[in-house]
Amino acid sequence: MRIALSTGGGDAPGLNAVIRAAVLSAINRGWDVLGITRGYAGLMGEEPCIPLDRKAVRGIAHLGGTILRTTNRGNPFNYPEKQPDGSFVEKDRSDELMENARSLGIEAIISIGGDGSLAIAQKLHEKGMKMIGVPKTIDNDVSGTITTFGFDTAVDTAIEAIDKLHTTAESHDRVIVMEVMGRQAGFIALHSGLAATADVILIPEIPYDINSVCERIRARDKAGRHFSIVVVAEGAFPKGGEESTMGESLPGQARRVGGVAEKIAKQIQEMTGKESRSLILGHLQRGGQPTGYDRLLATRFGAAAVRAVADKKWGQMVALQSPHIVTIPIAEALRETKRVELNHDVVLTARAIGIGFGD
Ligand code: F6P
């Protein structure tokens, strides 16, 4: 049996732990494992696939990133191809991928990725490739799994940043607005903001009113709390408004969300007279060592994916449905993007202790 692994989309701490667990589980069954490099580039004739043996995965469980490398511009069904005039057209190169996989003797692929990569996995499955999915994203926005690896590490990184901002904000009587990742999901902002005791948390699931945000800051000021910390998800937007985006994205890449923190800080300063600063935490959230929780979850996912191959659960994705790792159809996970539920106890807890959501 020869299987292959692919990591696609934005990286997330824990990818290497999945790779290690999948490779060791497969080798221990007597299987052979290939690593498809840079998303699916290794199957598009752009670079070779790499053999993954015990030595290749030694000492990587605690490392961030992915030894296979990744891309969010490599959808084989819409592959961007540069034209002689410098423009790009998107081509369906999935037949080429299938053919290359066949010629390498690949019998099944474990695709480790977020919603974009899982959608590609589903389409390859429909084309006849034997696919198993492993959900990955720091955004925690994949349905059907309680959480994804990478999320806990990103939240920890954000908490550490908010703790540091607290001391400088307090010294200067300032408002500091910190923007975290998450695309259209507010999980990183909500969890880090609550754990690190932010004063206001703005998430895409609750469009904000800047007057309400300023009201909260003025009230704190009156109560002798002359500083405030606002944690904003990059996809948050004002009532009746739109999410902020950051310039052009490259061919084949999704729209880049972000830039809302700077706008909010400017409005707060204008409306309250309080000196305000903003910060985009950015890719720090995607880097570094996975937390113990993420390492363990990633390891469990990697081994479960190989069990799913052995059980021929094609088109299925491993998922955490505590306390168990289960498999569910990838198509089911793709039905809707997971979002923060407004009546979830994490939201209720934040409200109960006085955190504002700008509504
Ligand atoms: O989906 C993961 C994520 O980190 C999002 O939170 C963020 O909007 C996006 O990827 C950033 O992508 P890039 O690495 O292309 O800037």
Side-chain angles (χ1 to χ4, degrees):
M1 177 80 170
R2 170 172 276 187
I3 63 165
L5 307 182
S6 160
T7 53
D11 66 347
L15 280 169
N16 281 326
V18 178
I19 294 169
R20 176 177 173 273
V23 167
L24 294 180
S25 307
I27 289 175
N28 288 339
R29 286 175 183 266
W31 302 353
D32 193 32
V33 191
L34 276 184
I36 307 169
T37 48
R38 201 161 51 80
Y40 287 106
L43 287 183
M44 312 289 262
E46 293 184 6
E47 43 186 273
C49 288
I50 53 172
L52 293 174
D53 55 13
R54 285 183 196 280
K55 193 160 164 255
V57 298
R58 196 162 287 150
I60 64 166
H62 64 292
L63 301 178
T66 157
I67 58 166
L68 296 177
R69 299 164 32 246
T70 186
T71 176
N72 53 18
R73 290 185 280 136
N75 183 343
F77 293 90
N78 302 92
Y79 213 74
E81 255 183 29
K82 198 167 185 175
Q83 302 302 295
D85 66 356
S87 64
F88 281 83
V89 291
E90 290 185 352
K91 286 212 169 132
D92 181 352
R93 290 180 58 188
S94 54
D95 286 336
E96 196 181 327
L97 181 153
M98 300 282 285
E99 191 40 49
N100 286 337
R102 252 191 300 271
S103 67
L104 286 168
I106 294 171
E107 289 166 70
I109 297 179
I110 295 177
S111 163
I112 313 161
D115 49 2
S117 307
L118 291 170
I120 295 169
Q122 174 64 21
K123 284 176 94 174
L124 288 173
H125 164 66
E126 285 163 13
K127 254 181 114 80
M129 179 64 76
K130 293 171 175 163
M131 301 294 300
I132 298 292
V134 175
K136 163 248 51 163
T137 168
I138 65 163
D139 304 340
N140 188 29
D141 60 355
V142 178
S143 292
T145 183
I146 286 173
T147 190
T148 46
F149 65 87
F151 172 64
D152 187 63
T153 308
V155 168
D156 250 20
T157 300
I159 288 172
E160 197 185 331
I162 299 166
D163 286 347
K164 288 183 175 171
L165 293 177
H166 254 114
T167 58
T168 175
E170 186 158 15
S171 308
H172 286 264
D173 294 346
R174 281 174 173 161
V175 177
I176 300 191
V177 184
M178 186 178 98
E179 178 175 317
V180 295
M181 283 184 166
R183 299 194 73 85
Q184 285 77 39
F187 293 103
I188 301 177
L190 177 63
H191 287 227
S192 65
L194 176 57
T197 71
D199 306 298
V200 176
I201 299 173
L202 303 178
I203 57 176
E205 293 84 349
I206 307 177
Y208 64 86
D209 174 354
I210 194 67
N211 293 303
S212 155
V213 175
C214 291
E215 213 27 71
R216 180 76 50 157
I217 290 164
R218 285 193 203 100
R220 277 178 54 80
D221 217 33
K222 263 198 207 128
R225 307 293 284 151
H226 300 300
F227 73 99
S228 288
I229 299 289
V230 179
V231 176
V232 57
E234 61 183 6
F237 57 91
K239 280 182 188 161
E242 284 175 3
E243 71 178 13
S244 302
T245 50
M246 309 226 273
E248 296 278 295
S249 36
L250 293 171
Q253 202 167 41
R255 205 160 36 102
R256 292 183 63 204
V257 183
V260 64
E262 194 183 340
K263 292 183 190 167
I264 293 175
K266 198 163 168 277
Q267 284 179 306
I268 291 174
Q269 182 159 314
E270 279 166 11
M271 292 172 67
T272 65
K274 290 201 67 69
E275 198 179 13
S276 304
R277 295 285 187 267
S278 66
L279 168 88
I280 298 180
L281 194 55
H283 291 82
L284 280 177
Q285 293 158 95
R286 294 239 300 262
Q289 290 201 345
T291 57
Y293 181 89
D294 277 342
R295 249 186 262 184
L296 179 61
L297 180 62
T299 301
R300 292 173 72 195
F301 273 179
V306 168
R307 285 200 299 276
V309 172
D311 295 342
K312 300 186 173 30
K313 292 190 166 170
W314 313 127
Q316 305 253 323
M317 168 190 107
V318 299
L320 176 68
Q321 290 183 3
S322 293
H324 301 293
I325 305 284
V326 299
T327 56
I328 60 167
I330 296 174
E332 192 182 308
L334 290 173
R335 214 159 287 145
E336 57 178 359
T337 306
K338 188 168 73 183
R339 297 274 156 78
V340 170
E341 285 170 33
L342 301 189
N343 57 358
H344 194 281
D345 82 271
V346 181
V347 176
L348 301 182
T349 302
R351 289 197 191 278
I353 64 176
I355 294 176
F357 283 93
D359 55 347

